[in-house]
């Protein structure tokens, strides 16, 4: 009977040590996963910030080009109107 109690005690100690080892392993693994997730998040955030900045630059360039196009169109219209006015004046054509 004493031998059986000693076996149970030894098995209890062994299972406790194994439980502690498993708990430590689980904690270690979860920390590694957390670090990996944190790195991935930081990397993704960096990429998103970079894309956001690039998008802002592209939109600003589009706005600048649209403004340049608008100025060019207005200038061309003004020059065309002046040319038409000169032609009408030279040919003695009046607005109706």
């Amino acid at each position: 009977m004493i031998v059986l109690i000693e076996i149970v005690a030894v098995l209890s100690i062994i299972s406790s040590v194994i439980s502690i080892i498993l708990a430590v392993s689980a904690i270690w693994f979860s920390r590694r996963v957390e670090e990996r997730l944190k790195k991935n998040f930081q990397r993704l955030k960096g990429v998103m910030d970079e894309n956001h900045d690039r998008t802002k630059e592209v939109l600003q360039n589009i706005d600048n080009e649209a403004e340049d196009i608008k100025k060019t169109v207005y200038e061309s219209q003004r020059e065309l109107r002046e040319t038409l006015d000169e032609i009408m004046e030279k040919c003695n054509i009046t607005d109706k």
Side-chain angles (χ1 to χ4, degrees):
M1 186 69 146
I2 294 177
V3 173
L4 187 59
I5 292 174
E6 289 177 4
I7 291 174
V8 170
V10 169
L11 287 176
S12 177
I13 291 171
I14 291 172
S15 68
S16 296
V17 169
I18 291 174
S19 294
I20 291 171
I21 291 171
L22 289 175
V24 169
S25 298
I27 291 169
W28 177 75
F29 179 74
S30 68
R31 284 189 179 170
R32 284 187 56 213
V33 169
E34 180 184 5
E35 288 174 10
R36 203 173 325 136
L37 288 173
K38 199 179 289 185
K39 285 179 185 177
N40 287 343
F41 174 77
Q42 293 297 332
R43 203 174 305 138
L44 179 62
K45 185 180 181 303
V47 168
M48 289 178 67
D49 288 345
E50 187 176 318
N51 285 342
H52 181 260
D53 292 341
R54 286 182 183 172
T55 302
K56 283 173 47 178
E57 288 177 20
V58 167
L59 290 175
Q60 184 61 43
N61 288 341
I62 289 171
D63 286 345
N64 292 342
E65 289 180 15
E67 191 62 33
D68 291 344
I69 290 170
K70 194 178 353 178
K71 287 177 184 177
T72 302
V73 168
Y74 288 150
E75 182 64 25
S76 296
Q77 286 177 340
R78 186 187 61 75
E79 290 175 0
L80 180 61
R81 179 66 185 180
E82 287 175 1
T83 303
L84 287 174
D85 287 344
E86 288 175 11
I87 291 172
M88 289 174 64
E89 188 177 307
K90 286 180 182 178
C91 295
N92 284 332
I93 301 174
T94 58
D95 288 337
K96 293 183 181 182

